[in-house]
């Protein structure tokens, strides 16, 4: 626009000063080597103006041609992007419907012209894994890495997540360990490591990670406690065939967990398995002195002891508490106190029939040689057990 204004200004100036200059044309001589050009000032000015106008016309023409080319290329590019977006949508629907091969093909085909090729390759990797093609999965993840080198952490975590889903725990662990060293509080890193340790039954490593997992907000206190119980219970089960390592492991356990009935039960059962029945009895009775636990009361009559008097004495003191009367009746049977056992078991049946109580009462009747009554209680015990 400025150039046009300048050209108009020159023309107006020519019209104004042209007549005056016509009477005084002037003289211009241009010498270049052996060549000379002679002209009047007026002719040279007119020639310069014409040349400038020609240049403006050529510039306008070139601009139009280049703009047309850009518009044409832009139209084709926009068309390719629209088609790629349509293919991506179709691939997403195919993925949701379980057509993984079709989804993978569409995602890869549209990746080059897509606005988000990284997401296309990630989707293709998930589709390949769904088909069980781990080689293709890793290939697409590598292409995604090439598309977005700065997204290395996110892509590595995506790959390890897919490996975990495919139960490739060793590969995932090898990739996660160096990341954990650099990002020890990264929520997804810790969560994935937790899943791996749990799947590999690496209970000490899992126990170490759980407090961190809670701090980063991936689990609540209840979930942490449940996982800790699972891990320590598994460690107790795998403690071996010697009492001393088992006792040392129990002392290593957090005090709060050692007070939980489920952990007391697990440890006591391991003691029983190693022949330390009296130690298990002392453990459970000490816990029952502090707090009643129907879970432990149910297990007491399964202990095989030389003397049940200590157990009877404590259970008699707490027989009004839930579960204590049934346990006392069954222990009385083991101690040979048949009359007390019958009285307690019959009172328990009157309020809350159960298969173990019927079974214990049947044994009482059998020892008292009341065969018919014993058989009737055995039948009732069986019916409740299988019903």
């Amino acid at each position: 626009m400025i150039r046009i204004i300048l050209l108009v200004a020159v023309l107006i100036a020519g019209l104004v000063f042209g007549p005056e200059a016509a009477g005084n044309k002037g003289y211009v001589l241009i010498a270049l080597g052996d060549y000379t050009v002679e002209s009047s000032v007026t002719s040279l000015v007119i020639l310069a103006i014409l040349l400038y106008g020609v240049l403006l016309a050529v510039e306008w023409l070139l601009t139009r041609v280049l703009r047309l080319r850009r518009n044409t290329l832009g139209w084709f590019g926009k068309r390719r992007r629209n088609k790629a977006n349509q293919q991506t949508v179709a691939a997403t629907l195919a993925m949701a419907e379980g057509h993984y091969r079709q989804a993978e093909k569409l995602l890869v085909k549209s990746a080059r012209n897509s606005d988000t090729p990284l997401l296309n390759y990630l989707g293709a990797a998930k589709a390949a894994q769904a088909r069980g093609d781990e080689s293709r999965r890793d290939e697409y993840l590598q292409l995604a890495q090439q598309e977005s080198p700065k997204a290395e952490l996110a892509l590595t975590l995506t790959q390890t997540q897919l490996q975990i889903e495919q139960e490739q725990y060793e590969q995932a662990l090898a990739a996660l360990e160096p990341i954990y060293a650099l990002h020890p509080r990264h929520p997804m890193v810790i969560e994935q490591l937790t899943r791996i340790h749990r799947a590999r039954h690496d209970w000490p490593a899992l126990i170490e990670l759980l407090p961190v997992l809670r701090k980063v907000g991936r689990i609540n206190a209840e979930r942490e406690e449940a996982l800790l119980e699972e891990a320590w219970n598994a460690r107790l089960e795998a403690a071996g065939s010697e009492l001393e390592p088992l006792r040392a492991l129990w002392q290593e356990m957090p005090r709060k967990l050692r007070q939980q009935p489920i952990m007391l039960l697990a440890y006591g059962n391991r003691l029983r398995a190693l022949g330390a029945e009296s130690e298990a009895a002392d453990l459970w009775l000490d816990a029952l002195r502090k707090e009643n636990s129907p879970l432990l009361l149910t297990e007491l009559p399964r202990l095989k002891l030389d003397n049940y008097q200590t157990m009877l004495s404590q259970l008699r003191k707490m027989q009004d508490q839930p579960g204590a009367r049934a346990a006392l009746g069954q222990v009385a049977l083991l101690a040979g106190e048949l009359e007390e056992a019958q009285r307690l078991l019959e009172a328990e049946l009157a309020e809350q029939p159960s298969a173990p109580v019927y079974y214990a009462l049947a044994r009482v009747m059998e020892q008292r040689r009341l065969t018919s009554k014993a058989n009737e209680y055995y039948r009732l015990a069986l019916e409740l057990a299988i019903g």
Side-chain angles (χ1 to χ4, degrees), residues 123-156:
K126 293 178 181 179
Q129 168 147 316
R131 294 193 303 103
D133 193 338
E134 297 166 9
S135 176
R136 285 281 189 183
R137 176 200 68 191
D138 295 340
E139 178 184 337
Y140 295 141
L141 289 172
Q142 187 175 1
L143 290 172
Q145 173 68 35
Q146 294 172 4
E147 285 290 339
S148 301
K150 294 183 179 179
E152 181 179 1
L153 177 59
L155 291 171
T156 301

Side-chain angles (χ1 to χ4, degrees), residues 145-198:
Q145 173 68 35
Q146 294 172 4
E147 285 290 339
S148 301
K150 294 183 179 179
E152 181 179 1
L153 177 59
L155 291 171
T156 301
L157 291 177
T158 300
Q159 183 173 25
T160 52
Q161 178 66 32
L162 294 174
Q163 288 171 338
I164 291 171
E165 292 174 2
Q166 209 67 8
E167 298 183 2
Q168 296 175 315
Y169 301 120
E170 300 300 331
Q171 294 176 347
L173 183 60
L176 282 171
E177 284 180 336
I179 298 177
Y180 179 64
L182 295 174
H183 307 278
R185 294 183 65 83
H186 194 290
M188 185 168 287
V189 173
I190 299 169
E191 185 176 13
Q192 290 188 5
L193 283 173
T194 300
R195 291 182 60 186
I196 292 172
H197 293 325
R198 189 181 182 196

